[in-house]
Amino acid sequence: MRAIDAELIETIFGTRSASGKDPLANLNDEQRAAASHVEGPLLIRAGAGTGKTTVMVRRIANLVSQQFAEPEEILALTFTKKAAREMKERLEQQLGRETGKRVVTSNFHSFCADLLRRHGSAIRIPEDFSILDDSDLLTMLARVAQSHAICSPQDTTTLRAILTRISAYKEEGLSLDMVPSTDHAGLSAQLRADPPVSQDVLLRAWRELDALKRAASSLDFGDLIVQATRLLRRNPRVRAEVANYRFIMVDEYQDTSPVQDSLVRLLARGHDNVAIVGDTDQSIYEWRSARPEIMQNFPATWTNCRVITLGKNYRSTQQVLDLGNRIVEPLRRQDGLEKSLTGVSLGHAPVFRCFSSKIEEARWIAQRIAASVEAGQKPGGIAVLARTAAGLLDVKQALARAGLKTVQATDRAILEDPATKRALAGLRLSENRRDFAAFLRLASDLGASAAEIGRIEQAVVAGRDTIPEAATRLFRAARPMSAEAARWEALHLRLDAIVSTRDMGSVPEAIREIERIFRGDTEADLPAALRRVCEAAEPFARAIDFLEALALDADFRASFTEDRIVLSTIHAAKGLEFEAVYMPGLNEGVLPSARALATPHGRMEERRLAHVAITRAKSELVLTAEKGAESSYLAELGFVESAKKTVVKRAGRRLRRAF
C-alpha cells in the first residue's frame, strides 16, 4: 500500500508521467539538459541518429508531468505529416493515450490549413477551399497565359519559371500586393538560373492566376502559410486563440523558409518559449527555399537563447560516422561549427568498388545482397539509395533477376494512375463545386469540348455559378432538342451525379461511386491503385479531410516488410535507417549533381545529401561507381587516390573528362 501511494504521489507531484514513465530516464547528459529545459528560447543541434525525436517527446512529457503546462498548451510542429503522426504515437506511449492525444502535433501546412478552414472567412477564404498541387497550378496558369497573352500555353519552361518565382516570393512571406514592380535582391538566389521572365510578365500572370484561384475557391501550398500569417496579423481573435500555446517546439528547423520562421514568431508572440530542433548537416531542401542560416542565426535573433548540441549517435558504427563527418567537414568549418558525430560502437570498414559499366555495377550489388540474404540478413534491413529515381532502375532489375523482392520508399504511381486522378478530382468537385482545376482534370472524361470548358470558366470567374450550376444553366439556355442541348444535358447530369456523392455514407463509398459514374459498370473490380486509395480513405469521416491529407502528404509511403529490399532516393530516405546501405552511381555529375552544382546552393547541398545517405547505415555501407568517372567525394573520403578533373557541361549533357 505504501509503495502504491508513493508511486501515485510521484505521478501527481513528481517527475513521473501518468503512464508511469520518468520522462528524463535513460538520457545522456546533453539529452537530459535539452529535455529538462523549461522557459526561454532553446536551440537543439541534433545530428543524425542522436535521438532528437526522443528528446522532443521527453521534453513535452516533462513539461506536462512537472505541471509547467497542460497538454493543450503545447504545440509541436514538424515538416511532414508522417513525422507528426510518429510524434503523436510516441507521446501517447510516454504520457498515456488520453493525455498524449491532447498535445497538439501537426506539420506546418496542415496547421495553417486548419486555421484557415476555421477562421479564413475573416480574410475572405471559404471553409471548403481546395488545395492545388503543382500539376493543377501548371494547368490553370496555362489557361491564364492563353487568355491574357502572357506566353504560349505549351511553353511549359516559361510557365514553370513563373510558378517557381511566385513560389519563391511566397516562401519569403510576400503576397502579390507586397511584391515590388521591379525585382529585389531578397528573392531566393537559385532563381537566377531560371529562364528570364520580366517582372511585369510575372506580376500580370500572378494577378490573373490569383483571380482564377479565388473564383475556384482554391489555394496552393505557398498560400496556406502566407494567408495564415496574414490572418494572424489582422485578426485579434485568432491571435488570442493561438496565444494558448504557451510552449512551441519545431522539428527540422534547418528546412525552414522565411515565411515559416515568421509564422513561428507570430505564434510565439507574448512569450519566448520556443524550442527548435535541427541539423544544418541535413539541410537538403534549399531548392525549395529552405534556409539553413535561419537556424544558424537563431541564437542571435532570440535573446538569451540556450544552445545544446547532441553529438552522440546511437545508430551507426564509428566507421560509418567518420565518413559522414568527413563529407560535411568543409561546411562545418565554413559555418564555424565545432561538432562531430561520435558513435557508441565499432564495426566493419565501409566498402568501395569501381565497375566498367552501370550494368556490371548493378549485377555486383545484386550478387552481394543475395549472398547477404543467403547468410541470414533480412532483406528489409537493406536499402539501395541513389541521387535520383532513375539511378535505381538498373539495380532494381538486377535484384529482380536474382529473385529478390524490392519496395519503393514512396509510390507516386498510385496518385498518377488515371483512375485515381479521375476519382480524386471528382471527390474534390463534390466538396468544392467551384474547383475549376478539378473540373479541368475531369473534362476529357466528361466529354467537355474546349468551347464548353471556356464557357464554364467564364461563368465561374464571373462568380455567377458553381460549375454544375453553370452547366445546368447553359443546358437550359440551349435550343431545345439541338445537338448543343444534348451535349450540355449529358454534361450537367454527370456533374450532378458527381457532386451528389457528397451524401454517400463514407469516403471510400463516394470514391467507388465516382468511378462507377465514369466506367458505367457497377460490378467491375476497382483498379488496384484505386483500391489502395480507398483503403487510405477508410479512417476519414469527411472527404475534405482526406483530400487535405493527400494534398499535404502526397506520397504513399510504402509498407516496409522484412522480405523486401528498400529502393529509395536519398531525399525520400531522410529519417529512415537500415542495417546495410548501398550507394550506387557515385559518379561526378550524379553525386554531386551537375545540375545542382550550377545553382548557388548546390555545392553545399550535394555534400549534405551525401551525409544524409551515409548516415542512414547502421553497420554496413557499400559505395560503388563507374570506373573513370568517380565522384570527387570519393577522393575526399579516401577511396580513390585523386579525383580526376571533370568539366561538367550543362545539366543533361554528356560529361567530358579533362586529363
Side-chain angles (χ1 to χ4, degrees), residues 5-18 62 64-68:
D5 288 346
E7 188 172 309
L8 180 60
I9 290 169
E10 188 177 2
T11 298
I12 297 173
F13 299 106
T15 61
R16 191 179 297 273
S17 69
N62 192 58
V64 173
S65 65
Q66 292 281 9
Q67 300 183 8
F68 291 113

Side-chain angles (χ1 to χ4, degrees), residues 81-98:
K81 292 180 74 70
K82 175 180 176 291
R85 285 193 301 269
E86 180 186 347
M87 185 171 293
K88 178 69 78 175
E89 289 166 3
R90 292 178 67 168
L91 282 168
E92 290 178 12
Q93 292 168 6
Q94 183 70 37
L95 288 167
R97 187 175 181 190
E98 291 307 312

